[in-house]
């Protein structure tokens, strides 16, 4: 029997010819990532292990992005902790505010992750890099500490669920976000628990790399260990311009074993909205009803890339944000921000009455830069709508793609793009 | 955790899909001080936890406990709030690893998790996964750990386990 793309990558990194689901392996790590929240805890644990240096100073990446630029004194200390550790360990991949952005937007953009990699990150959305055909998964700070020290970590080889998306959406406002919300809506927030979500099909071939990054990013919202989209010509074209290292393309064998195959025809799919308080609580935007909103957030590691901002700007161009609504646009990285300035997107947002923030995870996890008061309601292009995720436990978050969020900003309620175009 | 540990405590019962934001909200993540995290553990789920918890109490939840963020602050908050272990119908993957890694015993026991009521007294053998409901004198078998994971737990977590290996291999 053949192997899936995930099994092939794991086997190659474990020095084995073959692995199968359930097997416990030790895999070598290509990138080990942490941020200002999880990094300080990982450093504390690292210091207990008894090794002086990280396994490879080029393979440990530390990014201040969650509460950075620092929101308060303790957060500033956490940012300083990862900065000091980076200096002391002479890491080549520490990036100060102003030269980075949201980690999962930044690493692919800078070619720090490439197809065929095994990546762990102390951030659950590390699964994003699966969009480039890498095995990439979120871990806690202790696993990360061990990864930094040893350059390898144990995994249980996951079973794979294959999701085949076919067709071409008739609705022009459907994007990768809607595909992944539709998948999560179908299988539930634990539908892929401990497993791989391998996503493929003609709709994926047609999807941009940005759209694929959005999809793999939210694999964790179905409980998956990793989401993966095998690299194709589009991926190689994207990587070619950025990669700092050689890469290797793996594809699933035709006779690979899948625990389950799910087929979804996207022809009639509409933009999706996930209602509070689970990402699986999805409805088509046309079925949202009258939901007035107080805040719109366009950004995050899910939808803070240039294509996302460009689409939102197309909707907002020449229009005004509803007087009762505050709209916060957050470019994912400095490079995206600069391109948004150069191509007039920032002007569009500001003229419409939105604020444009420095790159940060900020409001997505209820950190800062747009916290909700009791009873307030937001629509956001982010990834989680759990109780209290963006602020007060009695606030509400609705998840959508960037064009639905932009249309909602203008009408002051959850709205379809066609209502404003 | 010792090999012959028996944990005994009163049950706090939570529902399905308890995410790590509910366990410890991000607004408290500007520090990783266990005491500070423990003070805000599950505060929106159990508003009276701080006043009423007794050391050794047992947290029982439904399916997908610990879903969401990778924050290890979540099992740290639970451990330092005084819970001796967590039992659930199922756990989200990163939380599961994190709990083992910091030496917080967790047990998958769907039958017990469905049957148990808040306030019941349980006795738990985290090594064998055997759980005794002391109120009704009924036993439940949770899923035992694979030997490798048990070794991490009995070493006191992943760091002591790895430290041992590092020492052995010079």
């Amino acid at each position: 029997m053949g192997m899936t793309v995930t099994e092939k990558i794991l086997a190659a990194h474990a020095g084995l010819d073959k692995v199968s689901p359930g097997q416990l392996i030790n895999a070598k790590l290509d990138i080990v990532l942490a941020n200002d929240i999880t990094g300080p805890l990982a450093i504390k644990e690292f210091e207990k292990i008894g090794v002086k240096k990280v396994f490879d100073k080029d393979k440990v990446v530390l990014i201040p992005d969650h509460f950075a630029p620092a929101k308060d004194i303790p957060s500033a200390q956490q940012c300083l902790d990862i900065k000091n550790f980076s200096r002391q360990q002479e890491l080549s991949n520490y990036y100060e505010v102003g030269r980075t952005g949201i980690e999962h937007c930044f690493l692919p953009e800078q070619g720090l992750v490439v197809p065929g990699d095994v990546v762990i990150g102390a951030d659950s959305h590390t699964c994003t890099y699966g969009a480039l055909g890498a095995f990439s998964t979120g871990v806690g700070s202790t696993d990360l500490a061990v990864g930094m020290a040893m350059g390898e970590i144990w995994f249980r080889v996951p079973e794979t669920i294959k999701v085949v998306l076919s067709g071409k959406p008739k609705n022009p406002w459907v994007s990768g976000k809607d595909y992944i919300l539709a998948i999560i809506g179908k299988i539930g927030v634990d539908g892929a628990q401990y497993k791989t979500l391998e996503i493929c099909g003609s709709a994926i071939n047609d999807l941009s790399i940005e759209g694929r990054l959005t999809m793999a990013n939210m694999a964790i919202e179905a409980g998956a260990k990793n989401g993966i989209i095998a690299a194709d010509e589009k991926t190689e074209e994207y990587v070619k311009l950025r990669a700092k290292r050689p890469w290797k393309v793996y594809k699933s064998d035709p006779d690979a074993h899948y625990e389950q195959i799910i087929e979804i025809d996207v022809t009639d799919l509409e933009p999706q909205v996930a209602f509070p308080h689970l990402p699986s609580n999805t409805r088509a935007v046309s079925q949202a009803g009258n939901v007035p909103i107080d805040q719109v957030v366009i950004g995050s590691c899910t939808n803070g890339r240039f294509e996302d901002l460009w689409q939102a700007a197309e909707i907002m161009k020449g229009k005004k944000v509803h007087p009762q609504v505050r709209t916060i646009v957050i470019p994912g990285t400095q490079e995206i921000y600069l391109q948004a300035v150069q191509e007039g997107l920032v002007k569009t947002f500001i003229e419409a009455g939105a604020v444009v923030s420095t790159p940060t995870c900020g409001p997505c996890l209820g950190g800062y830069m747009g916290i909700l008061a009791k009873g307030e309601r937001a629509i956001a292009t982010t990834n989680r709508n759990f109780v209290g995720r963006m602020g007060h436990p009695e606030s509400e978050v609705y998840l959508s793609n960037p064009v639905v969020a932009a249309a909602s900003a203008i009408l002051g309620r959850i709205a379809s793009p066609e209502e404003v175009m | 955790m010792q090999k012959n540990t028996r944990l005994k405590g009163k049950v706090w019962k939570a529902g399905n899909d308890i995410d790590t934001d509910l366990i410890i909200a991000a607004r408290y993540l500007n520090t990783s001080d266990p005491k500070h995290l423990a003070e805000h553990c599950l505060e929106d789920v159990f508003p009276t936890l701080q006043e009423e918890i007794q050391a050794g109490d047992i947290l029982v939840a439904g399916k997908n406990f610990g879903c969401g963020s990778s924050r290890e602050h979540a099992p740290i908050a639970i451990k330092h709030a005084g819970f001796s272990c967590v039992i659930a119908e199922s756990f989200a993957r990163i939380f599961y690893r994190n709990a083992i890694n910091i030496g917080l015993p967790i047990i998958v026991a769907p039958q017990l998790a469905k049957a148990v009521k808040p306030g019941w007294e349980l006795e738990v053998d985290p090594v064998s996964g055997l759980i005794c409901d002391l109120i009704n004198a009924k036993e439940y078998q949770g899923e035992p750990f694979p030997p490798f994971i048990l070794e991490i737990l009995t070493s006191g977590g992943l760091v002591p386990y790895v430290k041992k290996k590092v020492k052995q291999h010079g």
Side-chain angles (χ1 to χ4, degrees):
Chain A
M1 195 188 294
M3 285 194 286
T4 66
V5 53
T6 295
E7 288 157 11
K8 285 184 182 180
I9 296 171
L10 288 177
H13 284 74
L16 300 169
D17 293 332
K18 190 168 169 53
V19 297
S20 4
Q23 193 175 341
L24 291 173
I25 58 161
N26 269 316
K28 296 241 177 290
L29 302 170
D30 296 301
I31 289 291
V32 177
L33 166 72
N35 56 51
D36 53 308
I37 302 288
T38 58
L41 198 47
I43 292 164
K44 265 195 233 167
E45 295 303 315
F46 174 86
E47 286 166 352
K48 292 180 195 162
I49 295 172
V51 297
K52 287 202 175 61
K53 287 278 169 191
V54 299
F55 80 106
D56 186 333
K57 68 179 183 59
D58 298 328
K59 291 184 177 175
V60 177
V61 182
L62 295 179
I63 308 275
D65 62 354
H66 275 59
F67 296 163
K71 75 178 176 107
D72 53 25
I73 295 167
S75 306
Q77 185 59 49
Q78 297 200 120
C79 291
L80 184 58
D81 287 348
I82 62 169
K83 186 177 191 167
N84 284 342
F85 182 77
S86 305
R87 282 182 186 151
Q88 174 207 346
Q89 293 284 333
E90 300 169 316
L91 303 186
S92 20
N93 290 303
Y94 167 79
Y95 298 89
E96 185 52 282
V97 169
R99 273 136 286 169
T100 182
I102 299 170
E103 52 194 329
H104 308 310
C105 295
F106 185 74
L107 268 69
E109 170 195 283
Q110 295 299 315
L112 292 168
V113 287
V114 294
D117 273 359
V118 169
V119 180
I120 61 166
D123 186 278
S124 61
H125 293 108
T126 303
C127 53
T128 307
Y129 317 132
L132 301 178
F135 174 86
S136 192
T137 190
V139 297
S141 293
T142 298
D143 270 327
L144 197 94
V146 171
M148 288 199 296
M150 316 303 283
E152 62 174 47
I153 195 174
W154 72 270
F155 289 114
R156 180 186 168 278
V157 178
E159 289 82 10
T160 296
I161 299 175
K162 176 158 132 175
V163 185
V164 187
L165 298 188
S166 61
K168 225 182 179 74
K170 282 191 251 173
N171 185 316
W173 308 109
V174 167
S175 65
K177 182 65 163 285
D178 306 298
Y179 293 167
I180 191 65
L181 284 176
I183 293 170
I184 299 163
K186 198 178 167 80
I187 68 175
V189 288
D190 61 351
Q193 207 166 60
Y194 299 102
K195 294 172 190 160
T196 297
L197 268 185
E198 181 177 323
I199 305 168
C200 59
S202 59
I204 300 301
N205 301 341
D206 294 342
L207 191 64
S208 67
I209 296 296
E210 282 89 343
R212 296 178 191 184
L213 287 161
T214 300
M215 289 191 74
N217 173 272
M218 286 189 72
I220 179 68
E221 300 339 318
K225 176 178 239 166
N226 68 313
I228 194 160
I229 298 171
D232 62 6
E233 284 167 19
K234 252 186 211 172
T235 321
E236 294 216 59
E237 214 153 283
Y238 177 91
V239 172
K240 201 158 66 186
L241 301 168
R242 307 155 196 271
K244 304 272 191 282
R245 296 178 275 126
W247 64 91
K248 187 161 180 198
V249 172
Y250 294 89
K251 290 188 193 286
S252 293
D253 292 323
D255 62 342
H257 174 74
Y258 293 99
E259 190 197 74
Q260 194 188 345
I261 297 177
I262 297 168
E263 295 185 30
I264 299 174
D265 183 348
V266 300
T267 311
D268 295 317
L269 188 71
E270 269 190 67
Q272 302 287 300
V273 178
F275 275 52
H277 289 286
L278 286 176
S280 57
N281 196 10
T282 53
R283 292 185 205 174
V285 64
S286 63
Q287 304 302 310
N290 182 25
V291 183
I293 49 158
D294 304 287
Q295 176 167 302
V296 177
V297 175
I298 298 171
S300 83
C301 61
T302 311
N303 279 123
R305 299 181 183 82
F306 184 77
E307 182 183 90
D308 302 315
L309 302 189
W310 187 84
Q311 287 172 351
E314 284 297 291
I315 300 286
M316 291 172 82
K317 201 178 280 174
K319 303 186 188 71
K320 294 284 179 201
V321 167
H322 187 278
Q324 299 296 324
V325 173
R326 55 179 184 272
T327 298
I328 302 162
V329 181
I330 309 178
T333 66
Q334 288 291 94
E335 191 175 304
I336 295 166
Y337 202 138
L338 182 59
Q339 195 180 353
V341 170
Q342 287 167 338
E343 300 198 19
L345 274 54
V346 170
K347 183 164 180 280
T348 298
F349 292 132
I350 292 174
E351 284 176 350
V355 294
V356 184
S357 155
T358 174
T360 178
C361 304
C364 172
L365 75 161
Y368 70 134
M369 284 300 294
I371 301 305
L372 300 173
K374 182 176 175 176
E376 281 197 313
R377 204 178 268 149
I379 187 164
T381 67
T382 56
N383 40 56
R384 288 184 180 137
N385 53 354
F386 299 152
V387 172
R389 173 74 178 176
M390 202 175 271
H392 194 280
E394 287 172 46
S395 61
E396 289 184 346
V397 179
Y398 295 70
L399 306 175
S400 77
N401 73 22
V403 288
V404 169
S408 305
I410 291 155
L411 293 180
R413 58 171 170 81
I414 294 181
S416 295
E418 51 263 35
E419 293 182 69
V420 298
M421 293 301 276
Chain B
M1 189 183 92
Q2 301 298 314
K3 271 193 178 134
N4 51 3
T5 305
R6 291 286 183 284
L7 309 168
K8 206 165 141 181
K10 185 168 60 70
V11 168
W12 292 76
K13 178 88 187 274
N16 291 331
D17 303 314
I18 299 294
D19 58 77
T20 53
D21 284 84
L22 274 175
I23 299 170
I24 181 78
R27 59 186 179 272
Y28 303 119
L29 300 186
N30 53 7
T31 161
S32 54
D33 173 18
K35 194 169 159 278
H36 165 87
L37 299 174
E39 279 166 10
H40 298 288
C41 178
L42 288 159
E43 68 179 14
D44 296 330
V45 180
F46 303 125
T48 59
L49 185 78
Q50 294 301 321
E51 296 84 61
E52 295 176 13
I53 193 167
Q54 287 171 352
D57 280 359
I58 294 169
L59 179 58
V60 183
K63 66 180 184 65
N64 204 25
F65 184 82
C67 62
S69 149
S70 72
R71 62 190 71 154
E72 203 161 289
H73 311 66
I76 293 174
I78 291 171
K79 191 176 174 180
H80 289 269
F83 287 110
S84 61
C85 75
V86 189
I87 303 171
E89 285 180 49
S90 66
F91 290 94
R93 165 190 163 264
I94 306 176
F95 181 88
Y96 186 88
R97 273 186 90 117
N98 286 349
I100 304 283
N101 286 348
I102 67 155
L104 171 69
I106 58 173
I107 299 172
V108 179
Q111 282 178 315
L112 177 276
K114 280 191 184 109
V116 79
K117 298 276 183 296
W120 284 16
E121 288 270 333
L122 300 179
E123 189 177 75
V124 179
D125 176 355
V127 171
S128 67
L130 194 69
I131 303 160
C132 189
D133 155 15
L134 299 174
I135 303 282
N136 304 295
K138 201 172 162 190
E139 284 191 346
Y140 295 84
Q141 181 61 56
E143 283 179 19
F145 293 109
F148 162 66
I149 290 182
L150 196 59
E151 204 186 329
I152 297 177
L153 261 179
T154 51
S155 304
L158 186 66
V159 165
Y161 171 83
V162 170
K163 220 171 147 175
K164 221 161 53 183
K165 302 259 151 176
V166 170
K167 260 192 191 150
Q168 279 165 11
H169 298 100

